[in-house]
Amino acid sequence: MTERALDHVGIAVHSLDDSLPTFESITGGKGYGRERVESQGVEVVFVGEGPGRVELLAPTRDDSAVAKFLAKRGPGMHHLCYRVASVRDELARYREVGARLIDQEPRAGAGGHQVAFIHPKSTGGVLVELVEAH
Ligand code: CMX
């Protein structure tokens, strides 16, 4: 089986401005790639490099997935994102084992990269994002 590298850990926060300094201090890096992903109702910023890379996610709408998560659980780890050669092939692999897919097809995520999410009920209670290697 091919190993898949961790691309980033997603952390839900109320405010990027308030939380970024904390994660810059933890990772030793500077924030970069700040962007609104309108389709997901989030604004994101990355910090850190390699397997310690973090994506901070703050909601831009009350009905977004991250707003619901914050209301229910408060700030904290939101998802793990794995880098894969082909999101489409990975979705087929998950589908074959009966996993619950949130996205049936790859779609554009942060940075315009192809992504898809797998429901946490199929992945040990952890929301999993797949991103196509870039
Ligand atoms: N991690 C683990 N469990 C989670 C979760 C998360 N991030 N979000 C929700 N859940 C759990 C809930 O606690 C709930 O569990 P229980 O039934 O045991 O209470 C269950 O999943 C269903 O939750 P829900 O509130 O009924 O469903 P939601 O409407 O909140 O949807 C989910 C949950 C995962 C389907 C939705 O958040 C989703 O579609 N996520 C994918 C998209 C996304 O997260 N986008 C933001 C990031 C974008 C980016 O990185 O660019």
Side-chain angles (χ1 to χ4, degrees):
M1 189 193 275
T2 315
E3 280 197 30
R4 291 144 193 108
L6 189 63
D7 185 85
H8 64 262
V9 176
I11 311 276
V13 301
H14 288 292
S15 158
L16 297 186
D17 289 333
D18 292 349
S19 302
L20 184 57
T22 302
F23 285 92
E24 287 179 335
S25 168
I26 291 169
T27 62
K30 278 274 165 216
Y32 60 93
R34 188 163 174 158
E35 171 191 354
R36 285 171 79 96
V37 184
E38 296 295 351
S39 62
Q40 295 294 301
V42 289
E43 188 173 11
V44 307
V45 66
F46 289 89
V47 60
E49 294 293 341
R53 194 160 91 108
V54 162
E55 179 190 38
L56 301 181
L57 308 136
T60 56
R61 296 194 305 261
D62 288 346
D63 63 347
S64 68
V66 172
K68 283 176 88 175
F69 179 92
L70 286 169
K72 198 165 177 180
R73 300 183 173 207
M77 207 199 86
H78 181 263
H79 66 263
L80 294 180
C81 178
Y82 284 91
R83 200 174 300 164
V84 300
S86 161
V87 171
R88 192 172 296 281
D89 289 355
E90 283 296 294
L91 285 176
R93 192 174 69 84
Y94 277 96
R95 198 175 280 121
E96 214 163 88
V97 297
R100 195 165 145 192
L101 309 183
I102 294 173
D103 297 297
Q104 300 299 324
E105 296 287 329
R107 59 173 179 75
H113 303 302
Q114 291 291 291
V115 303
F117 283 86
I118 313 297
H119 200 283
K121 293 289 180 200
S122 295
T123 43
V126 178
L127 177 61
V128 171
E129 179 181 14
L130 308 170
V131 64
E132 199 140 304
H134 49 272

